[in-house]
């Protein structure tokens, strides 16, 4: 499959606007955080509409993206079939996945997930009442996936990061923090930022500079109050960052303009060399994409 031609003005489900971004995506640019909701796979709770692989291909075409990482949403609990199917549709050289599992998962199931393109497991634990996994599952599961070379992906609140910092520091796997560690609303001067920075400095963690709308009170089009956090990470550890759209944007009621979100990279990482690292080189290292076509 060749890279998509940038510049489509076709409407994309769950995305505002039709114009392409001003910023040109480099060849093999990766969107490292999306979700697929396919009506052929029944979720446990309600899902966003029109969020299939075919729908996402429209966004790839609009933005000029080639590679993608599909994250199983909590709606499917621990059924990762929708993610595995999406990887198969998009192609094993272009797609990877992050699964959701519990300690009851068997070693054979982990091997099957690995063969299907899964490269990490996610823990969304910010709202315990609706979470399908718990913090006490992180360490035992990390020990089981370490030999597979997978990472642990965390969607945690800042106070949880601080409370469980000793556990995070002793995990045998790499750690990926979702959505800039969700630090934007509280700013950089907080203990959670120090925990994440320490793990980055030790080469133990990665950060997704994504989810600008989760890290702002200002909002679009500038998301100006999220910018200092993103820039701080870019300045501190550009070799440990990846970018994601978070399409189909399950959190906000009003869907954002994905071209605007992508163009934030021009502000957050003004250097073309750094953006290439964030969009191409780093995803290849973290998710095992081919280094060249």
């Amino acid at each position: 499959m060749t890279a998509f031609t940038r510049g489509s003005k076709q409407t994309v489900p769950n995305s505002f606007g039709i114009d392409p971004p001003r910023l040109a995506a480099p060849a093999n640019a990766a969107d490292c955080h999306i979700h697929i909701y396919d009506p052929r796979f029944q979720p446990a709770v309600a899902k966003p509409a029109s969020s299939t692989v075919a729908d996402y291909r429209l966004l790839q075409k609009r933005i000029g993206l080639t590679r993608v990482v599909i994250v199983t949403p909590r709606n499917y609990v621990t059924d990762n079939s929708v993610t595995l199917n999406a990887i198969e549709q998009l192609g094993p050289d272009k797609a990877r996945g992050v699964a959701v599992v519990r300690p009851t998962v068997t070693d054979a199931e982990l091997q099957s997930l690995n063969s299907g393109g899964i490269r990490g497991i996610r823990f969304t634990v910010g709202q315990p009442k609706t979470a399908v996994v718990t913090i006490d599952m992180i360490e035992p599961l990390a020990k089981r996936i370490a030999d597979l070379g997978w990472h642990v992906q965390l969607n945690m609140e800042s106070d949880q990061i601080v409370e469980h910092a000793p556990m995070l520091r002793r995990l045998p796997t790499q750690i990926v923090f979702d959505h800039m560690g969700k630090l934007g609303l509280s700013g950089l001067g907080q203990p959670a930022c120090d925990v994440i920075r320490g793990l980055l400095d030790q080469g133990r963690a990665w950060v997704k500079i994504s989810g600008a709308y989760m890290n702002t009170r200002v909002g679009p089009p500038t998301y100006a109050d999220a910018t200092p956090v993103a820039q701080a990470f870019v300045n501190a550890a550009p070799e440990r960052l990846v970018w994601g759209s978070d399409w189909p944007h399950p959190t906000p009621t009003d869907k954002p303009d994905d071209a605007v979100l992508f163009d934030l990279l021009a502000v957050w990482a003004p250097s073309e060399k750094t953006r290439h690292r964030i969009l191409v080189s780093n995803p290849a290292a973290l998710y095992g994409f081919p280094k060249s076509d």
Side-chain angles (χ1 to χ4, degrees):
M1 183 190 302
T2 57
F4 287 102
T5 300
R6 174 177 172 269
S8 168
K9 286 200 173 187
Q10 185 172 356
T11 300
V12 177
N14 294 295
S15 181
F16 181 77
I18 60 172
D19 291 326
R22 295 186 299 274
L23 188 66
N28 295 320
D31 182 347
C32 293
H33 194 104
I34 76 157
H35 307 289
I36 293 294
Y37 302 85
D38 190 319
R40 296 175 301 159
F41 301 88
Q42 293 301 314
V45 294
K47 63 185 185 300
S50 299
S51 307
T52 65
V53 167
D55 296 318
Y56 179 68
R57 285 185 184 277
L58 298 176
L59 184 66
Q60 284 186 308
K61 187 175 182 179
R62 180 184 175 199
I63 306 300
L65 302 165
T66 306
R67 295 170 171 172
V68 62
V69 178
I70 305 145
V71 180
T72 299
R74 66 176 180 84
N75 307 57
Y76 290 94
V77 191
T78 59
D79 182 358
N80 296 285
S81 301
V82 66
T83 297
L84 293 169
N85 179 265
I87 294 171
E88 185 177 6
Q89 288 187 66
L90 289 158
D93 59 332
K94 301 295 184 185
R96 297 287 187 270
V98 176
V100 178
V101 301
R102 290 174 175 150
T104 52
V105 66
T106 67
D107 290 342
E109 288 170 333
L110 291 175
Q111 289 290 345
S112 179
L113 290 170
N114 188 65
S115 298
I118 298 298
R119 295 296 179 264
I121 53 175
R122 190 192 196 202
F123 295 86
T124 301
V125 293
Q127 299 177 357
K129 290 184 178 180
T130 59
V132 301
V133 290
T134 58
I135 292 175
D136 62 4
M137 296 178 182
I138 295 174
E139 189 168 11
L141 282 169
K143 292 176 180 178
R144 293 185 60 194
I145 66 170
D147 287 344
L148 293 170
W150 293 7
H151 61 266
V152 166
Q153 181 174 320
L154 302 177
N155 188 334
M156 303 178 78
E157 300 303 317
S158 58
D159 59 336
Q160 293 175 316
I161 292 173
V162 174
E163 180 183 356
H164 298 283
M167 179 268 290
L168 299 180
R169 294 185 181 115
R170 65 175 181 259
L171 292 182
T173 64
Q174 290 287 309
I175 302 167
V176 177
F177 289 96
D178 276 0
H179 310 314
M180 296 188 281
K182 303 174 81 171
L183 298 177
L185 294 179
S186 300
L188 293 168
Q190 56 177 306
C193 184
D194 294 336
V195 174
I196 296 173
R197 278 293 308 272
L199 289 165
L200 286 173
D201 292 344
Q202 295 165 19
R204 297 285 321 288
W206 301 72
V207 172
K208 292 187 180 183
I209 49 171
S210 59
Y213 43 76
M214 301 179 198
N215 291 274
T216 185
R217 292 186 179 90
V218 174
T222 64
Y223 301 96
D225 46 345
T227 292
V229 175
Q231 290 178 334
F233 283 130
V234 169
N235 292 333
E239 76 284 1
R240 309 294 293 180
L241 307 180
V242 294
W243 174 87
S245 67
D246 194 33
W247 183 91
H249 313 293
T251 302
T253 302
D254 296 326
K255 301 301 181 183
D257 187 326
D258 281 283
V260 169
L261 294 177
F262 188 74
D263 280 335
L264 289 175
L265 280 172
V267 178
W268 294 352
S271 164
E272 183 178 356
K273 181 178 179 180
T274 300
R275 291 196 301 272
H276 188 277
R277 172 178 276 183
I278 292 169
L279 290 167
V280 182
S281 305
N282 292 351
L286 180 58
Y287 299 102
F289 288 115
K291 291 185 179 180
S292 61
D293 286 342

